Amino acid sequence: ERNRDPILNVLKQIISPDGLVNVLEIASGWGYHVTYFAKFFDNVKWQPTDGDQSCVNKINQKLASSNKNNSNISKPLAIDATTNHCVWFNGMYQRCHFDCILCINMTHISKWQATEGLFSGSNYYLKPNGSLVIYGPFIVYGDFIHKNNISFDKQLKSQTLEWGLRDVSQLNKVAEDNGMKLEKIFDMPANNKTLIYRKH
């Protein structure tokens, strides 16, 4: 919850206030972000997802127990970003459906295949000129930004070598392979970044 307002401020610059906008969130966790953001965008239809069914259940519980109007939040779905994106929704959403895809704090605590899947899925499901918004700690062209990020990266790798901070240059390569290009990097609190990738 500590990072929700800084991310919200970025989204207000990215998401159009006009017309119906469809946003897919990958790795929604317990739904703290999507349920907060939804209050500020009346024209946005949010689709939360997570690879962990227990998180999907938590989002359902959160929506059911809320006394707020959650009509602009769709039923959460179980999506594993490491799987083939063509089967993510079993035909519920077709190619080029979403205007924006949002992913918060996933790339450093998941397999690299999940990041690759995030980009390939974005290429498939984003509309032309759609945006992929990724928040988290990153290495920026070889620079850890702060010594805390170095120790955090070591801590993650001590749990599993498949985890760790990703370098923006790595992400740019995967983006290019999937028809996207880095448009902007926002500086965020606590040595984090928000990366905006635009689909060609």
Side-chain angles (χ1 to χ4, degrees):
E1 293 185 334
R2 290 177 298 177
N3 58 24
R4 65 186 189 179
D5 285 311
I7 298 174
L8 174 63
N9 290 334
V10 171
L11 292 178
K12 286 180 176 179
Q13 300 179 55
I14 301 301
I15 296 176
S16 171
D18 303 315
L20 176 62
V21 177
N22 292 299
V23 177
L24 167 65
E25 185 181 24
I26 297 293
S28 300
W30 286 12
Y32 288 116
H33 287 110
V34 68
T35 52
Y36 182 69
F37 298 154
K39 297 183 294 183
F40 297 90
F41 298 94
D42 293 336
N43 65 317
V44 175
K45 189 71 172 180
W46 301 84
Q47 177 59 73
T49 72
D50 201 90
D52 187 337
Q53 183 61 50
S54 66
C55 288
V56 173
N57 295 341
K58 285 284 186 180
I59 300 171
N60 272 320
Q61 292 169 15
K62 189 174 182 64
L63 293 175
S65 63
S66 174
N67 58 4
K68 302 181 181 67
N69 178 10
N70 297 310
S71 60
N72 60 339
I73 304 176
S74 299
K75 181 178 175 63
L77 301 172
I79 297 294
D80 180 353
T82 66
T83 59
N84 188 321
H85 57 264
C86 293
V87 300
W88 281 4
F89 300 108
N90 294 319
M92 179 184 298
Y93 295 121
Q94 301 301 315
R95 188 166 192 163
C96 301
H97 177 82
F98 293 99
D99 301 277
C100 176
I101 294 178
L102 174 65
C103 184
I104 299 171
N105 282 333
M106 182 197 81
T107 60
H108 59 290
I109 50 172
S110 59
K111 298 177 180 179
W112 175 244
Q113 290 90 332
T115 297
E116 292 178 315
L118 173 65
F119 278 95
S120 64
S122 296
N123 182 31
Y124 188 85
Y125 288 107
L126 276 178
K127 296 177 182 178
N129 205 43
S131 56
L132 168 61
V133 180
I134 311 176
Y135 169 91
F138 296 97
I139 304 167
V140 182
Y141 304 113
D143 184 359
F144 275 88
I145 307 300
H146 193 277
K147 62 182 181 180
N148 288 350
N149 280 354
I150 297 175
S151 58
F152 185 40
D153 184 62
K154 290 179 179 177
Q155 177 189 343
L156 292 171
K157 286 184 167 65
S158 70
Q159 297 179 62
T160 169
L161 291 176
E162 294 183 309
W163 290 6
L165 274 64
R166 312 302 182 185
D167 197 306
V168 172
S169 61
Q170 290 178 293
L171 303 186
N172 289 350
K173 176 63 170 63
V174 182
E176 290 170 8
D177 291 343
N178 287 281
M180 282 177 281
K181 186 175 183 179
L182 180 64
E183 182 175 83
K184 189 168 184 178
I185 300 178
F186 287 89
D187 293 328
M188 308 296 282
N191 309 308
N192 291 304
K193 303 288 183 184
T194 295
L195 313 178
I196 310 298
Y197 287 91
R198 185 73 58 183
K199 181 179 175 180
H200 302 328

